Amino acid sequence: QVQLVESGGGLVQAGGSLRLSCVASGRAFSTNYMSWFRQVPGKEREFVAGHSWSGGRTYYADSVKGRFTISRDNAKNTVSLQMNSLKPEETAVYYCAARAQSLRSNNVGDYAYWGQGTQVTVSS
């Protein structure tokens, strides 16, 4: 079993920055690919960014490219999301997710493990 615990959410003004972190515990091989998703009430959960365990390859949604950076510390089983130039429409609950397969995926259904989510609110 894998547990994911997010932290770092909060309230920030438009144009500001936040850094989210996710610590994974449990079976290491189940977290070959880790990603961040976000969800607004009433809308589907959407992919934000992903990071492979091997090779350090990253993958971003077009809407966040150039502003968000995902990083991973395998020794600490931690994946982080640095979010810059935040916009009010990016207010959402942000979730950390993990899958055993090493291939990237932006599909919610491909992830077996999820954190509880952390609220990010961007004020205008």
Side-chain angles (χ1 to χ4, degrees):
Q1 190 69 12
V2 174
Q3 289 187 327
L4 305 175
V5 179
E6 303 103 332
S7 61
L11 173 64
V12 64
Q13 289 187 333
S17 299
L18 276 177
R19 183 176 181 87
L20 306 181
S21 292
C22 172
V23 179
S25 60
R27 297 182 298 179
F29 62 83
S30 296
T31 58
N32 280 330
Y33 202 90
M34 296 186 71
S35 293
W36 288 94
F37 287 76
R38 63 189 179 191
Q39 187 169 24
V40 175
K43 294 189 176 181
E44 292 186 355
R45 195 168 295 187
E46 66 171 358
F47 173 82
V48 175
H51 198 303
S52 63
W53 182 85
S54 61
R57 290 181 292 275
T58 57
Y59 178 40
Y60 295 94
D62 288 342
S63 60
V64 306
K65 283 180 182 177
R67 298 186 298 117
F68 289 16
T69 302
I70 187 171
S71 58
R72 187 164 179 171
D73 185 336
N74 291 329
K76 296 181 179 179
N77 289 330
T78 300
V79 63
S80 299
L81 184 69
Q82 177 67 42
M83 306 185 293
N84 298 329
S85 302
L86 282 160
K87 305 174 183 179
E89 55 265 36
E90 294 180 308
T91 294
V93 177
Y94 284 70
Y95 295 91
C96 176
R99 64 195 299 256
Q101 295 80 5
S102 59
L103 294 176
R104 75 181 193 186
S105 173
N106 60 0
N107 186 349
V108 169
D110 288 339
Y111 290 80
Y113 305 102
W114 293 86
Q116 80 286 355
T118 185
Q119 177 70 45
V120 171
T121 302
V122 185
S123 63
S124 57

